[in-house]
Amino acid sequence: MEWRGAAVLVALLAVGAGSGFAASAQTRDTSIGTGVAAPVPAAGPDMPIEAPRPYQPDPDDPPLEAGIAMRRETLGSGKFEITFPAPVGWSTNANATNEWKLKKPGTSNNSYVMRIEQINSQDITIEDAINIRIERLGAEQDDVSIKDRGASSLEYTYRSNEGNKRHSFMRWLDLDQSGQADVEIVVHGREMDVPGSRALIRRVADGMRGATAQAIELP
């Protein structure tokens, strides 16, 4: 009688093993998908996106007008003397022996200002001067955007150190027709000053003369 019990136990174990294998096989079959495996997109980006920085509010000074009165101004001396139209009532301050800042008294910082620099000692062409300026802007200023580049001019915007948006116009002049840049002019302003800034730098550049040139006529 003991051998019957052993035989029944062996049979039951065999049935159980077969049922387990079948269940396992069925589970594996249903878990295998079809098609080509593809990566699952992440729920969010790995790199955070930096929000754009807002500009600081502009000073509320009245905008620079396009048709302001001009007077004759002379700077430098000897062969480096230059004569040009300058806005009536603006003060002239020397930043260096070859550089001057012209500003309307009482106007706020980051409103509008003009700077004139003699660069004839650097022996560079106007094209080279523009290239150098663009390179310096990219290295020294934030949020630089070149709006227009001409044969002797540059228009761009940038963020000032105080966080204001500045709109600038630049001109380079070869006063003695030597092929080298002699003078650099820049007018910085706000967006509201663009018409006046564009008109001012045109009038100053068109009317500027070197030491050996004839007297200018105010434009």
Side-chain angles (χ1 to χ4, degrees), residues 43-125:
D46 293 334
M47 297 295 293
I49 299 176
E50 183 178 352
R53 291 185 297 159
Y55 288 102
Q56 292 297 317
D58 284 330
D60 58 1
D61 303 58
L64 175 60
E65 297 179 358
I68 58 177
M70 307 290 276
R71 59 180 173 82
R72 184 175 292 113
E73 174 80 272
T74 299
L75 298 173
S77 61
K79 66 178 182 179
F80 299 111
E81 182 179 278
I82 54 174
T83 304
F84 58 94
V88 171
W90 286 32
S91 61
T92 303
N93 298 302
N95 293 337
T97 57
N98 64 326
E99 181 180 343
W100 301 269
K101 182 175 71 173
L102 288 83
K103 190 174 187 292
K104 183 178 180 180
T107 53
S108 306
N109 291 334
N110 289 307
S111 57
Y112 51 85
V113 65
M114 179 169 66
R115 181 180 59 78
I116 295 175
E117 180 181 359
Q118 291 180 315
I119 58 173
N120 44 358
S121 62
Q122 298 181 16
D123 295 329
I124 58 175
T125 66

Side-chain angles (χ1 to χ4, degrees), residues 7-29:
V8 171
L9 179 59
V10 171
L12 290 175
L13 290 174
V15 172
S19 300
F21 177 81
S24 175
Q26 184 177 11
T27 303
R28 290 197 303 272
D29 290 341

Side-chain angles (χ1 to χ4, degrees), residues 58 63 111 147 155-158 165-168 189-197:
D58 284 330
S111 57
K147 301 299 183 182
E155 178 185 354
Y156 60 93
T157 61
Y158 70 100
K165 183 176 183 179
R166 308 293 284 150
H167 199 128
S168 302
R190 303 157 295 182
E191 291 298 319
M192 69 174 72
D193 300 316
V194 165
S197 297

Side-chain angles (χ1 to χ4, degrees), residues 201-219:
I201 199 168
R202 177 188 60 79
R203 297 171 72 187
V204 172
D206 289 351
M208 185 171 288
R209 300 290 184 270
T212 60
Q214 296 179 351
I216 65 170
E217 295 181 3
L218 295 179

